[in-house]
Amino acid sequence: MTGRRRLGLVAAAATLLAAAPLSSIFKDWTWLMQCLLTVLLIQGAAVATRTFRFPTWAQTASMVAAFVLSLTWLFPSGGEFFIPQPDTFGHWMDLIHQAGEDTRSYGVPVPDRDGLLFVTVLGVGVVAIAVDLLTAVFRRPALAGLPMLAIYSIPVAIYLDSVPAVPFMIGAIGYMWLLVADNVDRVRRFGRRFTGDGRDVDVWEPSPLAAAGRRIGVVGVLAAVVLPLAVPTVSGGLLSQITQSGPGIGTGPGNGNGGRINLFASLSGQLNHSETVKLLQVRTDEPEPFYLRFGVAEVLTENGFAHDTPKGDSLSKGLPDPRQVAATSAARYTQYQAQVQVTDRLQQNMAPLYSYALQVGDLKGNWAYDPSQQVLFSGRATTKEQQYDITYLRPTFNAAALRQSDSLDPGDPLMAFTARPPDATVEDKVAALIAGKDNDYDKVRAIYDSFSQEKGFKYSLSVPSTGKASEVAEFLNNKAGYCQQYAAAMAWMVRAADIPARVAFGFTRGKAIGNNTYEITNRNAHAWTEVYFQGFGWVPFDATPSASVTGSARSAWAPDVDRPAPAASTSTGPGATGTNSSAGPGAAERLNRAENEGNQTGAAGPIADETSWTGLLIAGGIALIIALLLLPALRRILVRRRRHAATVPSPAPAVLSAEGGEGITDITVTSETGRAREDAHAAWDELIDSMIDYQVPVDPTETPRITAQRLIRESSLTGDPAEAATLLGTAEERARYARLPLQGAELAVALTRVRSGMAEGAPTGTRVRALLLPPSVLLSWRLGMAEWSTRAAERMTSLGETLSRFNPRRLLNRAR
């Protein structure tokens, strides 16, 4: 075989290897089979024409002709037989237009759509012809890397994070193979080779310079792959993994209908994460906003709930009126406005949105809306640092109206949402619960009411979940889990009652920070169940124990099953002034406390008239010097105030009800049970710093109880200070080791008493130093500086070693 034909075959193989990154875009492998057939036909034509020594233009024409015949066979219009007709080209234009619509309607991985497949085969075929000409005809294999790079740029432009490293390495291997094949062919055409001492070298024996070049090439490829993986990147918080192919934000274990993403696994990680991260901020004129949602899991198989790829029109075309989807005279709709501000910690291609959205404005990038899933999605843009407005409707209806909803016909398309894996245990439980119920709502309420503490269910974050059906069935037996297990279990049981149901993912309302604004963090990540009622649409039911969910909300049709029905009270009527239900229990009090603290830090009283600016400058300079000298003390005061604010006990859950109209929602909002554990940790940190300030030795190996006893003994605490120290040790011990932390204790008062007791027994110099130059603050700053300098020295040393290790001169010397 001549060199040109051999190089042509290598060029075809390199093109197919360069197309490996496309595997991260498509869900199936149809594209690969079609591209393989097309490249083989193109290269077959090239080999045939080169065998008979056709001129260059004939070789090019033969490859183009084979390419067109391949497209005609794979994507026919219906009226041709291998030979393209005028209708064929019109059909191809329609496929290109369809591909453009699909890129705006689908997120990766995409299904096998004819338009997307045609564009893929078209691009790979063009690249195959270009690489063949540059390699076998013009003998410029290095330039062939440009069209091969064009293929790789497609997933790079579409993927939100980064293309997996393995496909890139496969493409790089193809390119290096192309360069090596060209080098070998040049040597063969040149003739014999000799070393520096005159020895004859075989054709396949590598020369020292070639070996050094290969080492440099391998090092370069490895550096291009490894270094980006080693560079730290900012996490997208809850939703940063939504477009990755592994476990991340998604809906199930990855084998769903169109879903390769795992909402359950990522939600578990976010709720168990030790750090609280602010994700977004919402301002709305709705008095009692419900949950923000961004995705649904609606395909239930033996592998669990899975996410179906959303489909819809571009956001630029506007949103459909949700009242046309589920119109009923029993529901009353109220229009509200909301402004959403996303931080840089939330980076995903599904935007948080209120249900029944009418309009979305100022959202940057190409976004589309799926009216069935009520999901706002994009194939390229992300929510990172986005600011957009939402106009939406809030429907209000009551249980009596839902009871009038008729069951769906067996042939209704929505009955597809009743599909579930066979499980005799679940079927028997559901049959027993809905026995004697003659309407869908009563059946759903019987299932919903069964997830109560009275029935043995409890909240636990220690239970892992991937959303598999077997794990949901296990949850029904163990009766311990958190929101994703509750939501999935209820949706599965409702389906067992032949009622459409699915799982929704999003955020609870968050914490009210004033001015109708709510701060939402990763702690507000949540999952709940949506049930379809004819004439009403998808109605939310949150079966998770409300006392364990920050910003939890309940409604008249799905009340809190763990609390008795609230009696009529003037304090909870529409005109009452009380805790804002949107903020959760205690949120209003926390807000007022923060405002009061802010007022304490400012200057009080009017400013006297001053005609001399010199006096003001002198006074300002003196104040600045004093502030710098008192900076450690100020830092200590701020830390103590923050910890005291965190340890103030929250009030009991508040129930707000609206009266005076049919269908007005009753909502119960509860506090986070994990707050007690965080309060104990904050109080213990403050106690440890106080011990350092008053020169009481701290032993980190001791248990909280032993430390508290030693503090009482060494500081000679008696009476209330001794009892307060014992209380703080008990609270920290319960927070670390007990199943349930200590709740309701006055930890802030206990801290004040302990600190006063230590101050009374300490010398005057120790008290002054603790006030003006707190040793705890100085120690913290000193340790921080030492850690920073150590890390900087390590990084400089590592950088020097890396640069010396990859010195090209060393590679050349080693090759010699």
Side-chain angles (χ1 to χ4, degrees):
M1 183 178 291
T2 62
R4 290 181 181 270
R5 284 180 290 177
R6 184 184 302 106
L7 288 177
L9 294 176
V10 175
T15 302
L16 292 174
L17 293 176
L22 297 178
S23 61
S24 59
I25 297 180
F26 287 93
K27 183 174 60 177
D28 298 318
W29 296 96
T30 306
W31 70 273
L32 180 59
M33 298 296 100
Q34 294 179 345
C35 291
L36 178 61
L37 177 62
T38 301
V39 173
L40 289 178
L41 291 177
I42 292 174
Q43 194 55 43
V47 171
T49 53
R50 286 168 186 153
T51 301
F52 296 97
R53 300 184 181 275
F54 282 15
T56 301
W57 65 267
Q59 298 176 21
T60 305
S62 67
M63 289 189 290
V64 172
F67 182 33
V68 173
L69 291 177
S70 175
L71 292 177
T72 306
W73 184 38
L74 294 175
F75 305 97
S77 62
E80 63 276 343
F81 182 75
F82 285 107
I83 305 301
Q85 305 294 326
D87 293 340
T88 305
F89 297 98
H91 175 63
W92 292 350
M93 294 302 298
D94 293 338
L95 290 178
I96 294 176
H97 178 74
Q98 176 187 332
E101 292 294 330
D102 291 342
T103 55
R104 293 186 292 269
S105 302
Y106 289 86
V108 292
V110 297
D112 288 335
R113 300 277 294 175
D114 289 340
L116 297 175
L117 291 174
F118 174 80
V119 172
T120 301
V121 175
L122 178 65
V124 173
V126 171
V127 171
I129 296 175
V131 172
D132 182 273
L133 293 176
L134 289 172
T135 303
V137 177
F138 301 105
R139 306 306 300 267
R140 295 291 186 271
L143 295 179
L146 295 178
M148 296 169 64
L149 184 62
I151 299 179
Y152 183 75
S153 65
I154 297 175
V156 170
I158 294 178
Y159 251 62
L160 299 178
D161 293 321
S162 61
V163 179
V166 174
F168 171 77
M169 295 179 65
I170 294 176
I173 291 173
Y175 181 58
M176 294 182 64
W177 183 16
L178 191 65
L179 297 178
V180 171
D182 178 76
N183 178 69
V184 172
D185 184 74
R186 289 179 182 274
V187 171
R188 285 180 171 177
R189 294 176 58 194
F190 176 79
R192 302 172 63 186
R193 296 184 301 157
F194 298 90
T195 61
D197 56 1
R199 182 175 60 88
D200 190 8
V201 180
D202 187 74
V203 172
W204 292 101
E205 182 179 349
S207 67
L209 186 59
R214 278 190 290 272
R215 292 194 188 99
I216 295 175
V218 171
V219 170
V221 172
L222 292 178
V225 175
V226 175
L227 288 181
L229 299 178
V231 175
T233 58
V234 178
S235 174
L238 172 64
L239 307 177
S240 64
Q241 300 167 342
I242 194 167
T243 58
Q244 295 178 2
S245 59
I249 291 296
T251 51
N255 297 328
N257 185 14
R260 291 171 52 186
I261 44 183
N262 191 340
L263 277 164
F264 290 99
S266 183
L267 181 59
S268 171
Q270 291 300 322
L271 293 177
N272 285 284
H273 201 277
S274 60
E275 180 185 5
T276 300
V277 179
K278 179 181 177 181
L279 300 179
L280 63 150
Q281 183 173 294
V282 181
R283 180 179 180 183
T284 176
D285 56 1
E286 183 180 6
E288 299 172 352
F290 197 65
Y291 301 156
L292 279 168
R293 62 197 302 281
F294 60 79
V296 292
E298 52 191 12
V299 180
L300 177 57
T301 65
E302 65 277 1
N303 291 322
F305 276 95
H307 171 67
D308 196 6
T309 304
K311 309 174 186 64
D313 294 329
S314 173
L315 184 62
S316 60
K317 298 182 180 180
L319 302 184
D321 192 336
R323 288 166 292 194
Q324 298 177 357
V325 178
T328 174
S329 59
R332 186 168 63 248
Y333 296 89
T334 306
Q335 182 170 316
Y336 296 104
Q337 299 283 339
Q339 297 82 40
V340 180
Q341 183 176 356
V342 186
T343 68
D344 60 350
R345 302 301 298 273
L346 180 61
Q347 183 177 355
Q348 61 178 35
N349 66 349
M350 289 185 176
L353 191 67
Y354 285 117
S355 301
Y356 295 93
L358 288 174
Q359 184 178 359
V360 178
D362 299 332
L363 190 59
K364 300 177 182 178
N366 295 323
W367 293 83
Y369 181 75
D370 187 329
S372 174
Q373 298 185 12
Q374 295 182 338
V375 167
L376 190 60
F377 64 97
S378 175
R380 299 183 181 180
T382 69
T383 57
K384 181 180 180 181
E385 298 182 340
Q386 291 268 18
Q387 297 184 21
Y388 54 96
D389 301 326
I390 307 173
T391 303
Y392 63 99
L393 300 175
R394 180 66 62 205
T396 55
F397 35 80
N398 53 30
L402 290 172
R403 286 191 177 93
Q404 304 302 319
S405 175
D406 297 329
S407 300
L408 294 175
D409 296 332
D412 194 295
L414 288 170
M415 292 299 291
F417 294 102
T418 62
R420 70 270 183 187
D423 190 289
T425 302
V426 177
E427 300 290 338
D428 293 342
K429 287 185 178 181
V430 173
L433 289 172
I434 66 175
K437 305 296 188 295
D438 57 357
N439 61 79
D440 287 351
Y441 175 73
D442 285 340
K443 295 177 182 179
V444 175
R445 274 299 303 269
I447 297 172
Y448 173 79
D449 294 342
S450 67
F451 294 97
S452 64
Q453 294 181 0
E454 183 181 355
K455 302 295 184 180
F457 282 89
K458 58 185 178 181
Y459 188 88
S460 175
L461 279 175
S462 61
V463 182
S465 175
T466 62
K468 290 187 177 181
S470 58
E471 294 179 357
V472 175
E474 184 179 356
F475 160 74
L476 293 177
N477 294 326
N478 297 334
K479 298 183 178 181
Y482 52 108
C483 59
Q484 60 195 43
Q485 285 102 343
Y486 279 92
M490 180 178 176
W492 186 12
M493 296 177 71
V494 171
R495 290 188 174 202
D498 292 327
I499 302 173
R502 64 188 184 186
V503 178
F505 291 85
F507 303 99
T508 60
R509 66 187 64 191
K511 174 184 176 182
I513 58 177
N515 196 22
N516 298 325
T517 304
Y518 304 89
E519 181 180 278
I520 296 177
T521 69
N522 57 322
R523 303 293 183 185
N524 301 114
H526 195 47
W528 61 97
T529 306
E530 292 181 343
V531 182
Y532 190 87
F533 291 93
Q534 188 171 4
F536 294 87
W538 293 100
V539 179
F541 286 82
D542 190 357
T544 308
S546 58
S548 305
V549 179
T550 304
S552 174
R554 292 297 184 266
S555 57
W557 65 87
D560 189 350
V561 297
D562 295 327
R563 290 181 56 85
S569 173
T570 56
S571 63
T572 58
T577 58
T579 304
N580 188 348
S581 66
S582 300
E589 182 177 337
R590 297 190 195 105
L591 175 62
N592 294 335
R593 184 173 67 250
E595 293 175 352
N596 293 336
E597 292 171 0
N599 292 336
Q600 293 173 5
T601 59
I607 300 176
D609 294 337
E610 183 63 54
T611 57
S612 175
W613 288 99
T614 304
L616 289 177
L617 293 176
I618 294 175
I622 294 175
L624 179 61
I625 295 174
I626 294 176
L628 293 176
L629 293 176
L630 298 180
L631 187 60
L634 179 61
R635 170 64 179 173
R636 186 71 182 92
I637 292 173
L638 294 177
V639 171
R640 182 183 300 123
R641 179 170 297 171
R642 173 174 56 81
R643 290 170 175 169
H644 279 212
T647 55
V648 174
S650 302
V655 179
L656 298 188
S657 63
E659 302 175 352
E662 181 181 0
I664 300 300
T665 303
D666 291 343
I667 296 181
T668 301
V669 185
T670 64
S671 62
E672 181 182 7
T673 56
R675 176 65 185 275
R677 200 180 304 275
E678 298 176 359
D679 296 348
H681 293 330
W684 185 254
D685 293 340
E686 176 59 25
L687 179 64
I688 294 299
D689 284 351
S690 299
M691 293 173 62
I692 296 175
D693 292 339
Y694 289 97
Q695 298 183 357
V696 178
V698 176
D699 187 356
T701 63
E702 293 178 342
T703 63
R705 180 182 302 180
I706 298 300
T707 300
Q709 293 175 357
R710 185 170 55 80
L711 172 62
I712 295 173
R713 184 175 60 257
E714 295 183 6
S715 299
S716 301
L717 301 181
T718 59
D720 291 340
E723 295 179 358
T726 303
L727 173 63
L728 293 172
T730 303
E732 176 63 13
E733 187 177 57
R734 290 279 299 274
R736 289 185 186 181
Y737 312 116
R739 184 177 181 181
L740 293 176
L742 185 65
Q743 301 185 25
E746 293 289 345
L747 300 183
V749 176
L751 284 171
T752 302
R753 291 175 179 175
V754 172
R755 192 163 46 248
S756 299
M758 287 191 293
E760 291 177 0
T764 303
T766 301
R767 292 200 302 269
V768 173
R769 184 182 180 187
L771 178 64
L772 299 180
L773 293 173
S776 60
V777 176
L778 300 179
L779 177 62
S780 175
W781 288 353
R782 185 165 60 252
L783 293 177
M785 289 297 297
E787 183 179 2
W788 178 86
S789 61
T790 300
R791 290 182 178 179
E794 291 176 352
R795 291 173 181 174
M796 293 300 297
T797 302
S798 176
L799 180 60
E801 293 177 354
T802 302
L803 294 177
S804 62
R805 186 181 303 114
F806 293 101
N807 190 338
R809 182 176 298 175
R810 293 180 56 190
L811 297 176
L812 294 176
N813 293 335
R814 185 182 303 173
R816 295 174 184 174

